[in-house]
Coordinates of all heavy atoms in Angstrom, one line a residue:
N1 N 0.8 -1.1 -0.1 CA 0.0 0.0 -0.1 C 0.8 1.3 0.0 O 1.9 1.3 0.7 CB -1.0 0.0 1.2 CG -1.9 -1.0 1.2 OD1 -2.5 -1.5 0.1 ND2 -2.3 -1.6 2.4
A2 N 0.4 2.3 -0.7 CA 1.2 3.5 -0.8 C 1.1 4.1 0.6 O 0.0 4.0 1.3 CB 0.7 4.5 -1.9
T3 N 2.2 4.8 1.0 CA 2.2 5.6 2.2 C 2.6 7.0 1.9 O 3.2 7.3 0.8 CB 3.1 5.0 3.2 OG1 4.4 5.2 2.7 CG2 2.9 3.5 3.5
P4 N 2.5 7.9 2.9 CA 3.0 9.3 2.5 C 4.4 9.4 2.3 O 4.8 10.2 1.6 CB 2.6 9.9 3.9 CG 1.5 9.3 4.6 CD 1.8 7.8 4.1
N5 N 5.2 8.3 2.6 CA 6.6 8.4 2.4 C 7.0 7.5 1.1 O 8.2 7.4 0.8 CB 7.4 7.6 3.5 CG 7.2 8.4 4.9 OD1 7.1 9.6 4.9 ND2 7.2 7.7 6.0
S6 N 6.0 7.0 0.4 CA 6.2 6.3 -0.8 C 6.8 7.3 -1.9 O 6.3 8.4 -2.0 CB 4.9 5.7 -1.3 OG 4.5 4.8 -0.5
A7 N 7.8 6.7 -2.7 CA 8.3 7.6 -3.8 C 7.2 7.9 -4.8 O 6.3 7.0 -5.1 CB 9.5 6.8 -4.5
P8 N 7.2 9.1 -5.3 CA 6.1 9.5 -6.3 C 6.4 8.9 -7.6 O 7.5 8.6 -8.0 CB 6.2 11.0 -6.2 CG 7.8 11.3 -5.9 CD 8.1 10.2 -4.9
H9 N 5.3 8.8 -8.4 CA 5.4 8.5 -9.7 C 6.1 9.4 -10.6 O 6.0 10.7 -10.1 CB 4.0 8.1 -10.3 CG 3.3 7.0 -9.8 ND1 2.2 7.1 -8.9 CD2 3.3 5.7 -10.1 CE1 1.9 6.0 -8.6 NE2 2.4 5.1 -9.3
A10 N 6.6 9.1 -11.7 CA 7.2 10.1 -12.5 C 6.0 10.9 -13.1 O 4.7 10.4 -13.2 CB 7.9 9.3 -13.8
P11 N 6.3 12.2 -13.5 CA 5.2 13.1 -14.0 C 4.3 12.4 -15.1 O 3.0 12.4 -15.3 CB 5.8 14.3 -14.5 CG 7.0 14.4 -13.6 CD 7.4 13.0 -13.5
W12 N 5.0 11.7 -16.2 CA 4.3 11.0 -17.3 C 3.4 9.9 -16.7 O 2.4 9.7 -17.2 CB 5.4 10.5 -18.4 CG 6.1 9.3 -17.8 CD1 7.3 9.3 -17.3 CD2 5.6 7.8 -17.8 NE1 7.7 8.0 -17.1 CE2 6.6 7.1 -17.3 CE3 4.5 7.3 -18.1 CZ2 6.6 5.8 -17.1 CZ3 4.4 5.7 -17.9 CH2 5.4 5.1 -17.5
A13 N 3.7 9.2 -15.7 CA 3.0 8.1 -15.1 C 1.7 8.7 -14.3 O 0.6 8.1 -14.5 CB 3.8 7.4 -14.1
E14 N 1.9 9.7 -13.7 CA 0.6 10.6 -13.2 C -0.4 10.8 -14.3 O -1.5 10.8 -14.1 CB 1.1 11.8 -12.4 CG 1.9 11.5 -11.1 CD 1.0 10.9 -10.0 OE1 -0.2 11.0 -10.2 OE2 1.7 10.2 -9.2
R15 N 0.2 11.5 -15.4 CA -0.6 11.8 -16.5 C -1.2 10.6 -17.1 O -2.4 10.5 -17.5 CB 0.2 12.5 -17.6 CG 0.6 13.9 -17.2 CD 1.1 14.7 -18.3 NE 2.3 14.2 -18.9 CZ 3.6 14.4 -18.5 NH1 3.8 15.3 -17.5 NH2 4.4 13.8 -19.2
A16 N -0.4 9.4 -17.3 CA -1.1 8.1 -17.6 C -2.2 7.6 -16.8 O -3.3 7.2 -17.2 CB 0.0 7.0 -17.8
M17 N -2.1 7.8 -15.5 CA -3.1 7.3 -14.6 C -4.4 8.3 -14.9 O -5.5 7.7 -14.8 CB -2.7 7.6 -13.1 CG -1.6 6.6 -12.7 SD -0.8 6.9 -11.1 CE -2.1 6.7 -10.0
A18 N -4.3 9.5 -15.0 CA -5.3 10.5 -15.2 C -6.0 10.2 -16.6 O -7.2 10.0 -16.6 CB -4.8 11.9 -15.3
A19 N -5.2 9.8 -17.6 CA -5.7 9.5 -18.9 C -6.5 8.2 -18.8 O -7.5 7.9 -19.4 CB -4.6 9.3 -20.0
H20 N -6.1 7.1 -17.9 CA -6.7 5.9 -17.8 C -8.1 6.1 -17.1 O -9.2 5.6 -17.5 CB -5.9 5.0 -17.0 CG -6.5 3.6 -16.8 ND1 -5.8 2.7 -15.8 CD2 -7.4 3.0 -17.6 CE1 -6.7 1.5 -15.9 NE2 -7.5 1.6 -17.0
R21 N -8.1 7.0 -16.0 CA -9.5 7.2 -15.4 C -10.4 8.0 -16.4 O -11.6 7.5 -16.3 CB -9.1 8.2 -14.2 CG -8.6 7.6 -12.9 CD -8.5 8.5 -11.8 NE -7.8 9.6 -11.9 CZ -6.4 9.8 -11.7 NH1 -5.7 8.7 -11.3 NH2 -5.8 10.9 -12.0
N22 N -9.9 8.8 -17.1 CA -10.7 9.5 -18.2 C -11.3 8.5 -19.2 O -12.4 8.5 -19.5 CB -10.0 10.6 -18.9 CG -10.9 11.4 -19.7 OD1 -11.0 11.1 -21.0 ND2 -11.4 12.4 -19.3
A23 N -10.4 7.6 -19.6 CA -10.9 6.5 -20.6 C -11.9 5.8 -20.0 O -12.9 5.4 -20.6 CB -9.6 5.7 -20.9
I24 N -11.8 5.2 -18.6 CA -12.9 4.6 -18.0 C -14.1 5.3 -17.9 O -15.2 4.8 -18.3 CB -12.4 4.2 -16.7 CG1 -11.3 3.0 -16.7 CG2 -13.6 3.5 -15.8 CD1 -10.5 2.9 -15.5
E25 N -14.1 6.5 -17.7 CA -15.3 7.4 -17.6 C -16.0 7.4 -18.9 O -17.4 7.3 -19.0 CB -15.0 8.8 -17.1 CG -14.5 8.9 -15.7 CD -13.8 10.2 -15.4 OE1 -13.9 11.0 -16.2 OE2 -13.5 10.4 -14.2
N26 N -15.3 7.6 -20.0 CA -15.7 7.8 -21.3 C -16.3 6.4 -22.0 O -17.2 6.3 -22.7 CB -14.7 8.4 -22.2 CG -14.8 9.9 -21.9 OD1 -15.5 10.7 -22.6 ND2 -13.9 10.4 -21.1
L27 N -15.6 5.3 -21.5 CA -15.9 4.0 -21.9 C -17.4 3.6 -21.5 O -18.1 3.0 -22.2 CB -14.9 2.9 -21.5 CG -15.2 1.5 -21.9 CD1 -15.4 1.3 -23.3 CD2 -14.2 0.6 -21.1
I28 N -17.8 4.0 -20.2 CA -19.1 3.7 -19.8 C -20.2 4.4 -20.6 O -21.1 3.6 -21.1 CB -19.2 4.2 -18.4 CG1 -18.2 3.5 -17.4 CG2 -20.6 4.2 -17.9 CD1 -18.1 4.2 -16.0
V29 N -20.1 5.6 -21.0 CA -21.1 6.2 -21.9 C -21.1 5.6 -23.3 O -22.1 5.3 -23.9 CB -20.8 7.7 -22.0 CG1 -21.8 8.5 -22.8 CG2 -20.8 8.4 -20.5
F30 N -19.8 5.4 -23.8 CA -19.7 4.8 -25.2 C -20.3 3.5 -25.2 O -21.1 3.1 -26.1 CB -18.2 4.8 -25.5 CG -17.9 4.0 -26.9 CD1 -18.3 4.7 -28.1 CD2 -17.4 2.9 -26.8 CE1 -18.0 4.0 -29.2 CE2 -16.9 2.2 -28.1 CZ -17.3 2.8 -29.2
A31 N -20.0 2.6 -24.3 CA -20.6 1.3 -24.2 C -22.2 1.3 -24.1 O -22.8 0.6 -24.7 CB -20.1 0.6 -22.9
A32 N -22.6 2.3 -23.3 CA -24.2 2.4 -23.2 C -24.8 2.7 -24.5 O -25.7 2.0 -24.9 CB -24.5 3.4 -22.2
V33 N -24.3 3.6 -25.4 CA -24.9 4.0 -26.5 C -24.6 2.9 -27.6 O -25.6 2.6 -28.5 CB -24.5 5.4 -27.1 CG1 -24.8 6.5 -26.2 CG2 -23.0 5.4 -27.3
V34 N -23.6 2.2 -27.6 CA -23.2 1.2 -28.5 C -24.2 0.0 -28.2 O -24.9 -0.6 -29.2 CB -21.8 0.6 -28.5 CG1 -21.5 -0.6 -29.3 CG2 -20.9 1.7 -29.2

């Protein structure tokens, strides 16, 4: 489990995590209409 002392992700990895969350959010709506 991550702790406050855990080393942070690289900035690109943080952006990838945000993109993944966004993809999941958009997949739900796309799947519903398809």
Side-chain angles (χ1 to χ4, degrees):
N1 293 323
T3 67
N5 297 329
S6 296
H9 291 100
W12 69 263
E14 292 289 339
R15 291 190 302 270
M17 290 169 62
H20 187 200
R21 285 189 301 272
N22 186 269
I24 292 167
E25 293 168 0
N26 283 272
L27 178 59
I28 294 166
V29 180
F30 176 67
V33 299
V34 167

